[in-house]
Amino acid sequence: EGRLQAGDRAPDAPGLSLKGCRENKRLFHLFSVRHHTVLVFTDSRTTAASVIAALPKLRRGMRVVAGQPLVCESHLCGRCSMHAVLDKDCYAYGAYVDTTRPLTVAFVRPDGYVGAIMDSVKDVGKIF
C-alpha cells in the first residue's frame, strides 16, 4: 500500500460536513457516474480560488469539492456545482493528500477511479 495515484479506485471518506446539510456525508455521496469530481485540499482560500479559475473547460455538471481544513464558501456557479466540505475526522485528507505539499487536487472520473492527482495550480488547467 502506497501513495494514491492515477488509476487507483477513489477512496471513500465518511464524516464529511457540508454547509447547510444536517447529516454527515461520505465522498461516495458526492461522486456520480454523470460527471467528474474535482477534490481540492488546501487551507488557503486564495489557492482554492486559483484552482477553480484554472479549470477553464469545466463541463456543466462537473462537481468541485473543496475540503480539509475548509475555508471556501459553498456556491453553485454557472459551470459547475461547488461544495465546501469540512473533513472533520480527516479521512479524506488522509486518503488523498500528500502532506509535504500545500495543495492537492484529485480528479475522480465518473467510473470512480482517480484520473489525476496534482499539487500545482499551473498543472490543473491542463487536465481537460
Side-chain angles (χ1 to χ4, degrees):
E1 188 168 314
R3 184 176 286 162
L4 187 68
Q5 58 188 353
D8 289 347
R9 179 82 172 128
D12 191 13
L16 302 178
S17 176
L18 275 72
K19 185 176 180 180
C21 187
R22 291 183 184 184
E23 54 189 62
N24 286 339
K25 298 289 184 184
R26 308 178 70 87
L27 271 181
F28 282 2
H29 292 143
L30 301 176
F31 296 160
S32 173
V33 297
R34 295 180 174 209
H35 56 72
H36 286 80
T37 301
V38 182
L39 303 175
V40 181
F41 296 92
T42 182
D43 60 1
S44 165
R45 183 181 306 231
T46 303
T47 301
S50 296
V51 169
I52 303 307
L55 291 165
K57 299 176 186 174
L58 279 175
R59 298 179 181 132
R60 185 169 294 283
M62 178 179 283
R63 189 165 288 178
V64 178
V65 179
Q68 186 6 12
L70 192 63
V71 293
C72 300
E73 294 296 318
S74 294
H75 69 280
L76 185 66
C77 68
R79 299 177 302 167
C80 64
S81 64
M82 179 173 169
H83 299 278
V85 176
L86 177 61
D87 183 15
K88 297 183 293 190
D89 299 319
C90 294
Y91 288 118
Y93 184 84
Y96 288 87
V97 173
D98 175 353
T99 58
T100 66
R101 308 283 186 180
L103 170 68
T104 298
V105 181
F107 293 83
V108 179
R109 303 182 321 219
D111 64 2
Y113 284 82
V114 176
I117 297 181
M118 301 176 174
D119 59 11
S120 164
V121 173
K122 179 181 74 171
D123 293 335
V124 167
K126 299 175 185 177
I127 194 71
F128 290 105

